[in-house]
Amino acid sequence: MARRTLHGLELHDRGRTYVLAPTTCMRPRECRPISWLEALELFQSLWLSPSTLWELRLFWARERPGEFCTPSPPMTVAELKKAILAMLAGGHATLGVKAGGLTAEQLKAIMPNARQADIDAALAPLNTAMDKHGIDTAPKRAAFLAQLTVESQQLSHTVESLRYTHAERLKDVFGSKYFPTVESAKPYVKNAEKLANYVYGGKNGNNQPGDGWAYRGRGYIQVTGRANYRDVGYETNPDALLTPAGAADSAAAYWEKRKLNAASATWLERPEFDLVTKKVNAKKLEATARWQAYQRAKKALSPK
C-alpha cells in the first residue's frame, strides 16, 4: 500500500512504514534513513499492489533526474524496482523508516490498566527509543511492549521493589540458594538495601560494596547489575532509569544488546515467545501474563 504525503511516498509493508522521498526532502528527525542493503532487500521482497505500482511509477517519472516527465511505455515491476534502486544508489532519492508510530490508543490497548498519566509520559520516549534501537516493525514492538507490560507493571514502576514484609515470600522469590530456611530470610524483611546488596552482590558486574543496591532493577525492563547498566549506557547515571526517557531508552538498548530484535522479527508462537521471555527474565516469572500482553499487542499493532 502506498500513500502520497507532503514529504514523499509512504510505503506500508510488513508492519513498517517506509518513506521514499527526494534526498532534499527527507527529514532526519521524522525518518531513519536505511542502508543500501536494507533498501535492496525491501525492493526485492516488496509486494506491490496495483495502487502502489501506480504511485511508484508516478514518483519515478516525477523525480528521475535530467529527463522530462513525458509518457513512457509501461514498465514491468522488475524494471520499476531497478529504476528506483538506481535513484537510491545515485543519491537522488532516500528511503527511510518513519519515526514514531505507536499511539496512546495502541499503548492503552496493550496495557489496559496503565494510568493515562503514565501513558502520556511514556509514549514519546518509547517511540524515540524503539526507533533508535531498531524495534521498528509490528512483531518486534509487540514482543517488546508485552515484556514491558509485566516488567514495569503497566508503566507504573521504574524501580524494583525489594521491600518484603514476609520471610516466606522472600524464600519463595529468591529460593533456597539465598534463603535455605524461613529463619534465614527474616533479617532481610523490610530491609530493601540489605537485601539488594546480599542477593545481587558479586554478580552481573557488581564488584564494589553497595553495588547491589546502586544497580538494582530500574527502568521499564528492570535492568539489573553494574554490567547491564554499562551495556545500556547508564553505568555512571543509574538514576536516569527512573525517568520515562531513561526507562524507555535503557529498555530498548537492553533489547537490542540481547539480540531480541532478531528473535522477535516475525510473529511468534508460545514456545518462541517464552524463549524471548527467558532472555528478559531468567526465571520466566509471570510468563502467562507476558503472553497475554503479546496477544493484545499483536491485535493492537497488526495492520488493519
Side-chain angles (χ1 to χ4, degrees):
M1 185 173 67
R3 180 172 69 91
R4 268 179 281 182
T5 71
L6 290 174
H7 310 306
L9 185 67
E10 287 189 0
L11 304 172
H12 301 271
D13 182 64
R14 292 171 292 176
R16 188 173 356 188
T17 299
Y18 300 91
V19 176
L20 179 65
T23 301
T24 55
C25 295
M26 178 61 70
R27 297 188 174 191
R29 291 184 180 179
E30 296 179 2
C31 293
R32 174 181 65 83
I34 68 177
S35 69
W36 168 249
L37 287 177
E38 287 180 285
L40 186 62
E41 180 184 1
L42 170 68
F43 275 93
Q44 286 175 339
S45 62
L46 187 65
W47 179 80
L48 300 176
S49 67
S51 62
T52 301
L53 278 170
W54 175 249
E55 294 292 353
L56 282 171
R57 285 185 173 119
L58 288 177
F59 179 88
W60 175 81
R62 184 174 63 250
E63 303 299 339
R64 54 186 172 167
E67 298 182 32
F68 293 103
C69 295
T70 55
S72 58
M75 303 176 72
T76 67
V77 175
E79 289 171 337
L80 181 61
K81 290 180 178 180
K82 184 177 180 180
I84 291 176
L85 284 169
M87 291 179 64
L88 293 168
H92 304 294
T94 306
L95 185 66
V97 178
K98 192 171 183 180
L102 179 68
T103 68
E105 291 74 19
Q106 289 171 325
L107 194 52
K108 182 66 174 178
I110 298 166
M111 306 182 187
N113 296 326
R115 297 184 305 168
Q116 191 60 46
D118 291 332
I119 288 176
D120 292 341
L123 185 62
L126 282 172
N127 271 318
T128 298
M130 288 190 294
D131 288 335
K132 176 181 175 182
H133 295 287
I135 309 170
D136 51 14
T137 66
K140 293 178 190 177
R141 289 184 170 195
F144 175 69
L145 293 169
Q147 296 296 335
L148 264 60
T149 298
V150 171
E151 291 286 308
S152 70
Q153 297 181 44
Q154 303 203 26
L155 304 177
S156 65
H157 287 68
T158 55
V159 64
E160 181 181 13
S161 175
L162 289 164
R163 188 178 184 277
Y164 290 84
T165 56
H166 295 89
E168 293 82 358
R169 179 60 177 162
L170 266 173
K171 188 177 186 305
D172 288 343
V173 171
F174 293 99
S176 58
K177 175 182 177 181
Y178 294 101
F179 302 114
T181 65
V182 171
E183 194 67 27
S184 66
K186 287 183 178 179
Y188 299 90
V189 170
K190 298 182 181 180
N191 194 334
E193 185 170 352
K194 182 176 181 178
L195 175 63
N197 286 327
Y198 173 51
V199 297
Y200 294 146
K203 60 191 293 189
N204 290 328
N206 292 336
N207 54 21
Q208 300 295 322
D211 273 3
W213 176 250
Y215 295 101
R216 65 195 184 280
R218 290 191 187 85
Y220 289 144
I221 213 167
Q222 296 295 288
V223 175
T224 308
R226 181 187 285 271
N228 287 324
Y229 274 77
R230 183 185 307 125
D231 276 352
V232 300
Y234 289 90
E235 182 182 9
T236 60
N237 189 17
D239 284 340
L241 274 68
L242 301 175
T243 69
D249 183 63
S250 60
Y254 183 91
W255 190 266
E256 183 182 27
K257 289 280 187 179
R258 294 298 178 275
K259 303 187 185 304
L260 291 173
N261 279 324
S264 60
T266 59
W267 294 115
L268 305 175
E269 298 298 329
R270 181 65 186 267
E272 291 78 21
F273 181 79
D274 283 348
L275 290 176
V276 171
T277 294
K278 190 173 182 179
K279 288 191 175 183
V280 174
N281 184 286
K283 294 182 179 180
K284 296 195 291 186
L285 296 175
E286 299 186 73
T288 298
R290 295 170 197 263
W291 174 249
Q292 291 170 343
Y294 182 61
Q295 297 308 304
R296 295 194 299 272
K298 185 175 181 180
K299 182 178 180 180
L301 300 178
S302 292
K304 300 297 187 287

